[in-house]
Amino acid sequence: MKLQWLQDLSKIVNPQNVKIDEPLNKYTMTKLGGPADVFVMAETEEQAAAVVKYARANDIPIFLLGNGSNMVVRDGGMRGIVLNLSMLDQIHIDGTTVHAQAGALIIDVSKAVAAEGLSGLEFACGIPGSVGGAMAMNAGAYGGEINDVIHSCKVLTFEGDIVVLSKQQLELGYRKSIIASKGYYALSSIFELTKGDQQTIDLTIEDFTFKRTSKQPLEYPSAGSVFKRPPGQFAGKLIQDSGLQGMGVGGAEVSTKHAGFIINKNNATATDYIETIRMVQRIVKEKFDIDLETEVKIVGEDRIIIK
């Protein structure tokens, strides 16, 4: 079955960009995750659409993997096709309008526009995700979010059609969008920014970068901020007040530097990481009667299934 998929997909994309049983820990920020049955990297939007259409026509599960910054892939990996768009990484600036493909890192877009004296994406200078991932979750930090600057987004539907959605059609909310709720794949985005004072932009980015590097455990693999902010509360504060920092399961641990992060400190498995998430949720619920909802996505199988 996998060999047939390999042969068929090699007619759609460069054969070098199709791999069987590819370990996904190579593509996730946590350095966790089992193998994908078939891993495909598309070089164009048309290739991505063709891969999706092939999967749908043949009833094959398909999953879009960005730069793996906001997810945990279970130890059993992913069945079917894992489609990666990291090669779609072009950034084009035209006046105050910015076109960025889904595979570009949002940090790189933030730096590129800042160098041109454009303001609006300073908040994204420390978000470790792709443009596609940032769109799907309406990423935000330091009082700003994608919703503030987005004009429109080109998406790939689950049927393989390419459509453009306006800001209103994207239905952006706190860590949500129609992209995520409908299972679409972001292909590229258009941002509308404003001309700003270069010194102010540079100082803002310097300040945000310092806050990130001094307060986040960037020295360890992690999925970033694990939990959504509960209404009227801060997840990190609740976890800290629960005495959970430094605790964990196996090689995973609640960061002593920032309680909102769970790190892969010592060759953790995805199971370690997920069990640490569940432990945090359980104890915070016991102490404060607050349900912490995960911001990270947990995907894949608990064990490898041979086909």
Side-chain angles (χ1 to χ4, degrees):
M1 186 180 296
K2 295 180 189 178
L3 287 175
Q4 184 62 57
W5 297 348
L6 174 69
Q7 293 171 5
D8 293 343
L9 291 167
S10 293
K11 298 175 184 177
I12 297 173
V13 304
N14 187 327
Q16 295 181 341
N17 295 333
V18 187
K19 300 176 182 180
I20 290 180
D21 296 328
E22 179 72 355
L24 294 177
N25 58 10
K26 296 164 57 176
Y27 304 93
T28 61
M29 298 293 285
T30 57
K31 304 302 180 186
L32 304 173
D37 283 345
V38 179
F39 183 83
V40 182
M41 299 184 75
E43 296 182 78
T44 67
E45 295 175 355
E46 291 73 23
Q47 285 183 0
V51 171
V52 171
K53 287 181 178 179
Y54 171 80
R56 297 306 178 200
N58 292 277
D59 198 26
I60 303 170
I62 184 166
F63 180 81
L64 180 71
L65 178 67
N67 76 326
S69 63
N70 195 49
M71 68 174 53
V72 179
V73 179
R74 291 186 174 94
D75 296 314
M78 302 287 292
R79 304 290 68 80
I81 298 169
V82 173
L83 174 62
N84 182 268
L85 302 182
S86 61
M87 298 181 77
L88 301 179
D89 61 356
Q90 296 299 303
I91 303 168
H92 177 68
I93 301 172
D94 182 13
T96 57
T97 302
V98 181
H99 300 254
Q101 288 188 300
L105 297 181
I106 194 67
I107 289 177
D108 291 343
V109 180
S110 177
K111 290 179 179 178
V113 300
E116 296 295 322
L118 297 178
S119 180
L121 271 173
E122 292 91 335
F123 73 88
C125 67
I127 297 176
S130 64
V131 169
M135 286 301 312
M137 67 178 294
N138 187 25
Y142 306 118
E145 61 181 12
I146 292 296
N147 186 49
D148 300 332
V149 292
I150 191 64
H151 174 271
S152 59
C153 182
K154 185 187 293 184
V155 303
L156 181 60
T157 72
F158 53 82
E159 295 174 338
D161 298 319
I162 297 176
V163 299
V164 176
L165 300 179
S166 67
K167 177 177 181 176
Q168 292 71 29
Q169 290 173 316
L170 287 166
E171 298 180 10
L172 299 170
Y174 177 63
R175 302 299 177 264
K176 64 181 182 180
S177 71
I178 196 171
I179 297 172
S181 64
K182 293 286 189 181
Y184 296 158
Y185 309 136
L187 292 175
S188 63
S189 298
I190 297 178
F191 301 103
E192 284 292 350
L193 306 180
T194 58
K195 271 291 186 182
D197 176 72
Q198 190 68 59
Q199 184 177 16
T200 300
I201 293 170
D202 292 343
L203 288 173
T204 300
I205 288 181
E206 182 180 343
D207 177 48
F208 289 166
T209 300
F210 173 76
K211 288 178 179 178
R212 177 173 180 257
T213 56
S214 63
K215 295 181 180 179
Q216 297 182 13
L218 303 180
E219 64 272 28
Y220 292 104
S222 81
S225 181
V226 175
F227 302 100
K228 294 181 180 180
R229 185 178 67 243
Q233 303 283 346
F234 291 96
K237 182 70 163 54
L238 292 168
I239 297 166
Q240 181 178 331
D241 291 347
S242 297
L244 288 168
Q245 286 180 282
M247 296 180 63
V249 177
E253 181 181 290
V254 178
S255 171
T256 56
K257 195 172 185 180
H258 190 308
F261 285 65
I262 293 174
I263 58 174
N264 177 356
K265 187 174 183 179
N266 186 24
N267 297 317
T269 64
T271 300
D272 292 340
Y273 204 94
I274 294 167
E275 288 185 358
T276 301
I277 290 174
R278 304 306 182 216
M279 177 194 72
V280 169
Q281 291 175 314
R282 183 181 69 254
I283 292 177
V284 168
K285 176 68 173 179
E286 290 172 355
K287 288 184 175 292
F288 299 103
D289 195 28
I290 292 176
D291 294 307
L292 288 182
E293 184 180 352
T294 53
E295 185 171 305
V296 300
K297 292 194 297 184
I298 300 173
V299 299
E301 308 290 338
D302 288 324
R303 59 187 179 85
I304 297 175
I305 300 173
I306 306 297
K307 287 189 176 182

